[in-house]
Amino acid sequence: MQKRTSDFEYTHDITILSRKNVIVLHTLLWSIFIVLLLYTILPTITVRLLYLWVYKKKVTKDGIALTFDDGPDPEFTPQLLDLLSKYQVKATFFVLGSKAEKYPDIIQRIHQEGHLVGIHNYVHWTNACMTPKKVRKQLTDSVEAIEKIIGIKPIYYRPPWGIINVFDLFLVKRFRLVLWSLMVKDWRSKGGIERIKSNLLAKLQANHIIVLHDSGQTFGANRDAPQYMLEALDAFLEICKQRSFTFLPLDTYLLLLQVKKRAPSRLAKKFLVFIWLKWERVFNRLFNIRPIDVDNQIFYSRVCKYHGKTIHLGSGEELSSGDLVIELHFNNEKLHQLITESNSMFQLAVKMKQDVQSFLPTLAQHVHLLPEKVKAIYGITMIHRGSRQLGFTVTELPKGLFSKLTQLYLKMLLYVLHPNGKDRLKLKSELLSPRIATISTEELYNKYAVSVEPIPIPEHAISIS
């Protein structure tokens, strides 16, 4: 009988351990997804969908930008240069720094024949899998290698596979990021010459930036693919010559043309807002962030431990690391509605102050009914006008990586949710600096818990993260 009890306890312990492992694995996978989303997926989608900070398509009707990635290649790049010379076409080569060092004579020939030399990283690694420091080293080493050969610092940059990370957005001060508007998958041999030529002709427009590849040595490429590309390009250029198309390197485009800074289309903007709000629903569910009042969902919240520097509250109390707080999050669907209905940031601040003021009594009653002893209400916001008048202590975020990432995230949020978000971002940076807004629960209750009827507290709203 004793043995059976022990077996049951052992099996029970194993079951609990297995559940814990599943929870840990689930949390780990979600954490990896969130990191990838913020680090590379959202920045890449943003620049591609909204044409932000990159050159992707020109507005001229009189020229095509022909670009080549992954070279130089000792076998195919000289053949390509002969072909371009035959048709008197000037192009842009986004080269790998390591290959430039290995084949300096080819880089020198590219430059001497009037083509533009740009950067495609030192080796063909995606920026999504590299730290910001590693990306900077890739670019610095490439610049030094190319400048040593042709005497000019390259300023045009195309990240491998067109994928960036969030820190690459700071590179726009040093480089001009260039993507493409037409790709024909010429790195594959399947389908041969006809597939590449027909794809080029079927999708050809006079204002395209076309990307082709003069090397088949990168991951996923066929080694002999550039040979098919060269033969297809020969036939393509002959047809373009008959149609009187003009080809120019990218720097010539930018000298002759004023690049149109297009505002994103209303459809693209709506799509981005839709994706952003859907993602936030997943985020809230993952971290158990729920509405306090289902009838007035301006705020979502969770009970968690505060981690940060000590904050001196207006009531004379101190909020220290490890104290329990209610962490407030704006319901961004409601925020989007308020932003859309406001004519200015000032009007938005007034509306938000009114909504927050009407919500605070409910929040005070919620705090009073919680079984845990919560020290303060805590939130990070970029719209903090009027917070002090409501009793909140407003402090700056400590400088560091978290502060920079928070500011970048909130600016992206403003860009996405505000119809004129791009113009809003041109305001002085101090007006768009995130702040910590905090109020002690004691002060909140003393100020706002007056003549408030008890409200039912949903079971899911009482949780400690």
Side-chain angles (χ1 to χ4, degrees):
M1 189 69 180
Q2 180 65 35
K3 186 176 184 304
R4 288 184 180 180
T5 303
S6 299
D7 288 345
F8 171 76
E9 289 176 351
Y10 176 76
T11 304
H12 181 65
D13 290 343
I14 291 294
T15 302
I16 292 174
L17 183 61
S18 298
R19 287 177 180 174
K20 286 183 178 178
N21 289 341
V22 169
I23 292 171
V24 169
L25 179 61
H26 182 266
T27 303
L28 177 62
L29 290 175
W30 270 109
S31 299
I32 292 172
F33 171 73
I34 290 169
V35 170
L36 286 175
L37 183 77
L38 296 177
Y39 189 68
T40 185
I41 297 174
L42 274 179
T44 300
I45 290 175
T46 300
V47 299
R48 287 191 175 204
L49 188 64
L50 302 180
Y51 304 97
L52 296 176
W53 306 297
V54 299
Y55 297 101
K56 181 177 177 181
K57 196 172 183 179
K58 298 296 173 287
V59 297
T60 177
K61 295 180 180 180
D62 301 319
I64 299 169
L66 195 57
T67 68
F68 298 92
D69 290 1
D70 301 350
D73 184 278
E75 179 182 356
F76 298 115
T77 305
Q79 295 181 52
L80 173 59
L81 290 171
D82 291 342
L83 181 61
L84 295 175
S85 177
K86 171 184 172 182
Y87 289 98
Q88 297 183 346
V89 166
K90 303 302 179 185
T92 303
F93 288 77
F94 291 99
V95 303
L96 299 172
S98 58
K99 288 189 172 183
E101 288 180 336
K102 194 173 181 180
Y103 307 110
D105 292 344
I106 300 178
I107 297 295
Q108 185 65 40
R109 181 183 168 187
I110 291 172
H111 175 65
Q112 288 179 344
E113 294 186 7
H115 304 290
L116 181 65
V117 181
I119 300 173
H120 199 48
N121 278 359
Y122 188 77
V123 294
H124 204 275
W125 292 345
T126 175
N127 293 10
C129 298
M130 293 190 289
T131 63
K133 184 177 180 180
K134 186 70 175 178
V135 174
R136 287 197 299 271
K137 179 169 174 53
Q138 289 263 329
L139 294 174
T140 299
D141 290 349
S142 298
V143 168
E144 290 177 355
I146 294 168
E147 185 180 16
K148 186 176 179 180
I149 298 169
I150 64 176
I152 298 174
K153 284 186 178 181
I155 62 170
Y156 295 91
Y157 173 51
R158 175 177 286 159
W161 293 294
I163 298 173
I164 66 169
N165 67 56
V166 68
F167 293 96
D168 292 341
L169 300 179
F170 297 103
L171 296 174
V172 295
K173 295 181 179 180
R174 183 181 173 193
F175 297 97
R176 297 185 180 183
L177 273 62
V178 182
L179 296 182
W180 58 84
S181 56
L182 178 57
M183 176 184 286
V184 294
K185 299 182 180 179
D186 62 305
W187 60 86
R188 297 175 58 188
S189 302
K190 186 177 180 180
I193 302 166
E194 286 303 318
R195 178 184 62 83
I196 298 173
K197 185 180 73 171
S198 61
N199 285 342
L200 283 169
L201 292 173
K203 301 176 182 179
L204 179 63
Q205 294 179 14
N207 58 345
H208 267 312
I209 296 179
I210 300 174
V211 58
L212 296 169
H213 302 79
D214 56 327
S215 174
Q217 297 178 338
T218 55
F219 176 77
N222 299 128
R223 185 64 185 88
D224 61 342
Q227 190 61 52
Y228 294 106
M229 181 276 294
L230 288 169
E231 294 183 43
L233 181 62
D234 192 352
F236 171 72
L237 291 177
E238 181 61 41
I239 294 172
C240 288
K241 181 180 178 181
Q242 295 171 6
R243 296 182 184 180
S244 300
F245 279 114
T246 301
F247 292 86
L248 293 173
L250 287 168
D251 58 346
T252 306
Y253 269 106
L254 299 179
L255 286 173
L256 299 178
L257 305 171
Q258 181 177 1
V259 179
K260 183 179 179 182
K261 297 180 179 179
R262 303 192 326 169
S265 68
R266 294 179 65 183
L267 183 61
K269 189 81 170 189
K270 286 182 179 180
F271 175 75
L272 191 59
V273 170
F274 173 80
I275 293 297
W276 190 286
L277 295 180
K278 284 292 184 182
W279 145 246
E280 288 199 340
R281 288 185 184 181
V282 174
F283 180 88
N284 290 343
R285 194 166 196 172
L286 178 64
F287 289 96
N288 199 29
I289 300 170
R290 305 294 179 87
I292 291 174
D293 182 358
V294 294
D295 296 322
N296 184 12
Q297 298 188 23
I298 185 173
F299 282 111
Y300 287 178
S301 72
R302 66 170 179 166
V303 177
C304 61
K305 289 183 179 180
Y306 169 71
H307 298 286
K309 293 185 177 180
T310 299
I311 297 176
H312 300 279
L313 303 174
S315 60
E317 299 176 85
E318 290 185 347
L319 178 62
S320 303
S321 183
D323 289 337
L324 278 183
V325 295
I326 290 183
E327 185 180 84
L328 288 183
H329 296 259
F330 271 121
N331 176 359
N332 285 321
E333 289 189 41
K334 176 69 173 178
L335 181 59
H336 176 55
Q337 179 186 344
L338 290 175
I339 288 174
T340 305
E341 295 171 352
S342 302
N343 296 322
S344 66
M345 291 296 284
F346 177 76
Q347 188 179 11
L348 172 62
V350 171
K351 285 185 177 181
M352 290 186 65
K353 181 180 176 182
Q354 292 171 347
D355 282 1
V356 171
Q357 196 165 13
S358 66
F359 174 79
L360 288 175
T362 302
L363 178 60
Q365 191 69 5
H366 170 70
V367 173
H368 183 66
L369 295 175
L370 283 174
E372 301 96 348
K373 177 62 177 177
V374 176
K375 187 71 169 289
I377 314 301
Y378 166 89
I380 299 176
T381 178
M382 203 156 56
I383 307 172
H384 41 75
R385 289 185 183 181
S387 299
R388 289 186 176 88
Q389 290 89 335
L390 295 176
F392 284 82
T393 299
V394 180
T395 55
E396 290 188 4
L397 276 172
K399 292 183 179 180
L401 180 60
F402 177 74
S403 176
K404 290 180 179 178
L405 287 176
T406 301
Q407 186 169 23
L408 181 62
Y409 169 79
L410 291 175
K411 285 186 176 182
M412 288 176 66
L413 177 66
L414 178 61
Y415 182 91
V416 171
L417 296 185
H418 201 293
N420 299 314
K422 193 172 183 179
D423 295 331
R424 297 293 93 190
L425 292 177
K426 294 179 181 178
L427 294 173
K428 295 181 180 179
S429 59
E430 60 267 20
L431 298 178
L432 296 176
S433 180
R435 296 285 191 272
I436 301 172
T438 322
I439 186 172
S440 71
T441 52
E442 182 181 348
E443 186 173 3
L444 174 74
Y445 194 74
N446 290 338
K447 265 181 167 292
Y448 297 103
V450 181
S451 302
V452 179
E453 293 295 327
I455 59 171
I457 303 298
E459 185 179 346
H460 61 63
I462 304 175
S463 61
I464 299 178
S465 300

